[in-house]
């Protein structure tokens, strides 16, 4: 059957929208009229933003198509879907047309800019400057290469360490005066920022059987700051455990390393010293030229592994002997590159760093 239900719609007449009461046929013809007007209107747009504004006029929340849809509830149940379907078809068609026109406008803009900004492929390239490894990385790599050629493995340890691995297992009990020499940063839970890479000796020996040879590069921390001391710095630990190892092996190996790193080195000196975890112990000093004459600088500590340390890790000190050393990477880099202030390494000034490129 069907009857014509009236509906208030926006009618466009001479480009002006007016509210009018309509029947279903009138409404469908209004929708068709909106579609035709909208299509022409969209095609006449001159820019993307203009096109968008025009689309909103028909499809936006306050657009003419939406206005019809808002009042569709007043129609009979039979007529409602007819209007809804028609409005959806038109709305999809206008959306598709809008997208097509946007794409076309974009293509035109790109084509115009390509025609205008032609690249001159005959011009020489500008090139990017090469980056460079940090000087501390360069030294670490060089020391690693030297020792891995001698059959050493590389081992890594934690920077936050228990008191046991940083001190106690290295024969430094809580009241030992050697703790004074390594002023320490403590965590709230009693752990420490390790003061030396020697902690790796213990970790490694606990989990490996002798014979062994390792080096261990890493960051260490101490409350220490002046031109040649930093609160965070880098060390490279060395440990060799085997049968009948002598101090002469240790001296020969480190002297070779110095010759490798500093072909023009004047002299290396082994100065008697003390570390609780080596006996006997020595400091390794290097002599180098300065504008004010020659100077000695300590680059590390070394010695024969103390039998008390072997006992802590369950090695038989009657059967096994060994040597260990700990080198300061910053000190070696300062000597090698003539740097007088240790803080230069951490400022990351590109003018400084770019000198190490290549
Ligand atoms: C030690 O740390 C021992 N663990 C070394 C060692 C290992 C001895 C194995 C025996 C066997 P020492 O505190 O001297 O030793 O430090 C070693 C090197 O680290 C120093 O020679 C120096 O080159 C460097 N160093 C020490 N403190 C600083 C600092 N605050 N800033 C920069 N470099 C430092």
């Amino acid at each position: 059957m069907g009857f014509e239900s009236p509906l208030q719609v926006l009618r466009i007449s001479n480009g002006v929208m007016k509210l009018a009461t309509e029947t279903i046929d009138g409404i469908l013809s209004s929708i068709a009229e909106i579609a035709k007007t909208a299509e022409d209107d969209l095609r006449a747009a001159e820019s993307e933003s203009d096109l968008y504004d025009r689309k909103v006029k028909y499809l936006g929340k306050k657009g003419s198509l939406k206005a019809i849809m808002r009042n569709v509830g007043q129609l009979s149940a039979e007529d409602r879907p007819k209007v809804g379907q028609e409005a959806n078809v038109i709305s999809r068609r206008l959306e598709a047309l809008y997208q097509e026109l946007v794409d076309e406008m974009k293509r035109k803009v790109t084509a115009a800019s390509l025609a205008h900004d032609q690249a001159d492929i005959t011009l020489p390239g500008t090139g990017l400057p090469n980056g460079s490894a940090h000087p501390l990385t360069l030294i670490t790599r060089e020391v690693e290469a030297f020792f891995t050629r001698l059959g050493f493995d590389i081992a890594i340890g934690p920077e936050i360490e228990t008191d046991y691995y940083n001190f106690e297992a290295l024969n430094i009990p809580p009241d030992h005066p050697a703790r004074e020499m390594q002023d320490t940063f403590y965590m709230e839970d009693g752990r420490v920022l390790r003061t030396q890479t020697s902690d790796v000796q213990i970790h490694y020996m606990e989990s490996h059987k002798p014979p062994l040879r390792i080096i261990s590069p890493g960051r260490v921390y101490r409350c220490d700051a002046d031109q040649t001391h930093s609160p965070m710095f880098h060390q490279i630990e060395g440990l060799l455990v085997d049968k009948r190892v002598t101090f002469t092996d240790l001296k020969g190996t480190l002297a070779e390393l110095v010759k490798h790193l500093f072909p023009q080195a004047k002299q290396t000196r082994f100065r008697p010293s003390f570390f609780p975890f080596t006996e006997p112990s020595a400091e390794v000093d290097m002599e180098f030229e300065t504008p004010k004459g020659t100077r000695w600088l300590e680059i590390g500590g070394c010695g024969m592994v103390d039998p008390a340390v072997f006992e802590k890790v369950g090695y038989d000190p009657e059967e096994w002997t060994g040597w260990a050393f700990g080198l300061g990477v910053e000190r070696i880099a300062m000597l090698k590159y003539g740097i007088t202030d240790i803080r230069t390494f951490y400022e990351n000034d590109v003018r400084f760093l770019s000198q190490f490129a290549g």
Side-chain angles (χ1 to χ4, degrees), residues 196 198 222 224 229-230 233 235 237 275 298 300 326 331:
Q196 50 187 345
S198 302
R222 295 182 195 175
D224 211 354
H229 293 84
S230 158
F233 61 101
Q235 287 190 339
E237 191 80 6
F275 295 100
E298 174 196 316
R331 297 287 176 82

Side-chain angles (χ1 to χ4, degrees), residues 23-215:
T23 60
I24 178 71
D25 288 339
I27 295 164
L28 291 176
S29 85
S30 292
I31 293 178
E33 204 180 315
I34 291 174
K36 172 82 186 74
T37 317
E39 273 182 31
D40 293 345
D41 203 18
L42 292 184
R43 286 187 200 285
E46 282 175 356
S47 67
E48 264 189 65
S49 65
D50 181 23
L51 182 60
Y52 181 78
D53 291 344
R54 288 172 192 241
K55 178 182 89 151
V56 168
K57 231 165 47 182
Y58 305 100
L59 299 181
K61 266 197 200 138
K62 294 182 183 158
S64 45
L65 214 49
K66 280 278 170 346
I68 291 181
M69 291 307 290
R70 246 196 316 278
N71 295 320
V72 117
Q74 298 168 21
L75 290 170
S76 71
E78 194 184 346
D79 287 342
R80 235 178 274 149
K82 288 186 201 153
V83 174
Q85 259 167 23
E86 189 57 19
N88 279 340
V89 168
I90 298 301
S91 151
R92 274 202 296 276
R93 206 165 80 206
L94 291 178
E95 273 296 350
L97 175 66
Y98 167 77
Q99 202 48 55
E100 196 183 298
L101 293 172
V102 168
D103 291 348
E104 197 182 311
M105 275 182 183
K106 284 207 164 95
R107 263 196 308 277
K108 275 189 190 153
V109 170
T110 311
S113 96
L114 279 179
H116 182 255
D117 310 325
Q118 287 263 335
D120 181 351
I121 57 166
T122 62
L123 285 175
T126 44
L128 288 172
N130 278 340
S132 58
H134 192 280
L136 297 177
T137 307
L138 292 175
I139 297 292
T140 306
R141 281 186 194 157
E142 233 177 290
V143 176
E144 282 174 0
F146 178 85
F147 280 102
T148 48
R149 272 203 297 275
L150 295 179
F152 282 67
D153 285 329
I154 297 176
I156 301 294
E159 287 175 34
I160 300 177
E161 190 54 286
T162 60
D163 186 277
Y164 180 77
Y165 286 101
N166 196 79
F167 293 122
E168 195 129 7
L170 289 163
N171 210 21
I172 317 175
D175 53 356
H176 197 287
R179 291 203 177 201
E180 291 282 308
M181 283 156 38
Q182 299 188 357
D183 216 348
T184 313
F185 293 109
Y186 287 88
M187 308 284 290
E188 275 177 357
D189 63 6
R191 288 182 300 164
V192 299
L193 296 186
R194 68 173 174 187
T195 58
Q196 50 187 345
T197 41
S198 302
D199 63 329
V200 181
Q201 290 188 28
I202 306 298
H203 286 293
Y204 200 83
M205 285 194 282
E206 277 181 351
S207 55
H208 293 78
K209 285 196 164 57
L212 56 89
R213 47 184 79 183
I214 55 156
I215 56 161

Side-chain angles (χ1 to χ4, degrees), residues 12 54 65 148 151 192 221 267 289 306 321 328 336-337 341:
I12 302 175
R54 288 172 192 241
L65 214 49
T148 48
V192 299
Y221 304 84
Q267 285 184 78
E289 296 279 1
D306 195 301
T321 46
K336 188 157 174 97
Y337 302 122
D341 191 329

